[in-house]
Amino acid sequence: MRSILLAAGLLPLCLMAADIPPIRGLSRTDLLQVRDEQGQLKKAATPEEWEARRKEAKEAFEAVSGPLPGDDKRCPLDVKVKEEVDCGSYIRRLITYQSSPGGRVPAYLCLPKAVLAGKKPAPAVLCLHPTENKIGHKVVVGLGGKENRQYASELAERGYITLAPSYPLLAQYQPDLKALGFGSGTMKAIWDNIRGLDLLESMPEVRKEAGFATIGHSLGGHNSIFTATFDTRLKVIVTSCGFDSVLDYYGGNIKGWVQERYMLKMGDYLGHPQDVPFDYYELIAALAPRRVFINAPLRDKNFKWDSVDRVVAAAKPVFSLFGAPDGITVRHPDSEHDFPDQERFEAYQVIEQVLGKP
């Protein structure tokens, strides 16, 4: 009976870690399991052997999101400043940049005054906003919306350069995905973020030696994971209320993902989420050996904290394989779908540990 219910996608998988089904014929929880060149299953003993699974996981994600663009879409950024506001210790600029031919991305760029004065360059953080269909990316620079989402402005006050691009098909950012050649809103966001990193990398004000950080809540939380999966310039990944296993998401009901702004192809797996070719088990492991900070509140109704713990437990052996056994930090505040002060400020400390003090 269990197997019948599991196949139908009706069993509460979050309660049965021992019965978690495989993904593409590989163990979902034993993430050291890989295929050799002959397609035989084996356990990775070196980071080099695990790269086969990292590659397969990325390809599986692209099968749903559409492919990551190539260099043909890496056109001139052509940055334009639309507005500049004095925010005390930093200047906030509303800019647009060209992420692909014919596609411009609105973003907030916050620059500490000490940096603009030429005293010294500062590390930079990509700040990705949560689902917000009225004000979009304004929420992360403190221009309205819910509390505890203003991480772009708080980090700028601490001396970091922050870039907060808008997410496609939310608020005033309404790109034509098909005309621009993207298979999903998710992949469009990933590419916009990657081009945002290109922008930061081009700026003399940015200290680049230690790489960049990304931070996001909810939509921004998994957007940070997705972007870091494809761009290793991100050395710190902060994800707040951003994920649980695809199997556990609303008890396996993944219809929330079936939107143009996310991934319409997820609709192919309604009723049988175990067949979705990607899951966060692999995506979190694919962040190794970089530094990861996870905020997973105990009363979050969107993403289950215990599912997060199962994902992290499975990913840790991969981090150990890469020489980073303590690379993941998880916090479980007694809150709802939120990014409380204590956890948010600790995330800033983790960013500082890796990128250095501004």
Side-chain angles (χ1 to χ4, degrees):
M1 178 60 73
R2 274 188 171 187
S3 60
I4 294 172
L5 292 174
L6 181 60
L10 300 175
L11 205 58
L13 295 168
C14 56
L15 301 178
M16 303 177 352
D19 292 333
I20 292 176
I23 183 168
R24 308 182 318 275
L26 292 165
S27 172
R28 201 177 297 250
T29 54
D30 181 3
L31 292 172
L32 292 178
Q33 190 179 83
V34 298
R35 291 187 178 92
D36 62 20
E37 293 180 357
Q38 288 73 45
Q40 299 300 309
L41 297 182
K42 60 177 283 188
K43 185 163 279 195
T46 66
E48 291 75 21
E49 288 181 343
W50 199 80
E51 290 302 328
R53 182 146 190 182
R54 191 197 304 270
K55 180 175 182 291
E56 184 176 330
K58 289 164 70 173
E59 290 172 349
F61 184 85
E62 289 178 280
V64 181
S65 69
L68 181 75
D71 286 340
D72 58 310
K73 286 198 183 294
R74 234 183 195 102
C75 58
L77 290 161
D78 187 28
V79 178
K80 298 183 186 300
V81 179
K82 300 294 186 180
E83 174 187 274
E84 185 167 293
V85 177
D86 189 327
C87 295
S89 62
Y90 66 93
I91 298 295
R92 185 186 69 233
R93 292 175 180 165
L94 176 60
I95 67 169
T96 66
Y97 60 90
Q98 188 174 225
S99 67
S100 61
R104 300 196 67 84
V105 184
Y108 282 108
L109 177 64
C110 296
L111 295 156
K113 289 182 177 178
V115 172
L116 291 172
K119 293 182 179 179
K120 62 177 181 178
V125 183
L126 183 67
C127 298
L128 306 180
H129 69 84
T131 302
E132 171 51 76
N133 208 16
K134 291 184 178 179
I135 63 172
H137 60 157
K138 289 183 179 181
V139 68
V140 297
V141 293
L143 293 177
K146 294 181 179 179
E147 296 181 354
N148 299 335
R149 276 80 167 149
Q150 66 280 6
Y151 31 84
S153 55
E154 289 179 339
L155 284 163
E157 289 169 351
R158 285 162 170 76
Y160 292 91
I161 294 169
T162 64
L163 180 71
S166 191
Y167 188 92
L169 304 183
L170 284 176
Q172 285 70 52
Y173 182 38
Q174 298 292 318
D176 186 332
L177 301 182
K178 290 183 179 178
L180 292 169
F182 288 89
S184 67
T186 294
M187 185 50 75
K188 172 68 167 123
I190 292 169
W191 185 248
D192 288 352
N193 298 338
I194 288 173
R195 297 306 324 273
L197 294 177
D198 290 347
L199 189 161
L200 292 171
E201 202 166 49
S202 73
M203 294 173 58
E205 299 90 347
V206 173
R207 194 168 78 213
K208 313 168 186 69
E209 294 78 11
F212 305 104
T214 180
I215 183 171
H217 174 74
S218 194
L219 166 66
H222 45 259
N223 200 6
S224 286
I225 295 168
F226 298 158
T227 304
T229 297
F230 288 95
D231 199 318
T232 58
R233 290 177 294 180
L234 291 168
K235 303 302 183 185
V236 190
I237 299 92
V238 176
T239 174
S240 169
C241 299
F243 73 96
D244 58 6
S245 170
V246 172
L247 302 173
D248 295 328
Y249 179 74
Y250 284 97
N253 184 357
I254 58 175
K255 67 179 182 180
W257 284 101
V258 188
Q259 301 181 50
E260 188 180 10
R261 71 177 61 140
Y262 305 133
M263 292 177 275
L264 284 173
K265 198 167 177 58
M266 289 288 271
D268 294 348
Y269 306 100
L270 290 174
H272 51 107
Q274 66 273 16
D275 293 330
V276 176
F278 78 88
D279 201 347
Y280 289 92
Y281 284 92
E282 289 181 320
L283 296 183
I284 295 298
L287 301 179
R290 293 168 287 168
R291 192 74 171 84
V292 180
F293 181 92
I294 299 168
N295 173 52
L298 296 176
R299 291 183 281 119
D300 186 353
K301 294 180 181 178
N302 295 57
F303 302 103
K304 299 179 177 65
W305 68 268
D306 53 335
S307 179
V308 170
D309 280 355
R310 285 189 290 278
V311 168
V312 170
K316 279 190 171 182
V318 178
F319 277 76
S320 294
L321 184 69
F322 278 83
D326 300 317
I328 307 179
T329 298
V330 184
R331 295 291 180 258
H332 295 304
D334 186 10
S335 71
E336 296 182 352
H337 190 75
D338 199 8
F339 201 174
D341 287 353
Q342 182 173 330
E343 287 70 32
R344 204 169 66 256
F345 297 161
E346 184 180 359
Y348 302 162
Q349 293 173 358
V350 171
I351 291 171
E352 182 178 315
Q353 289 167 8
V354 178
L355 301 190
K357 195 172 181 65

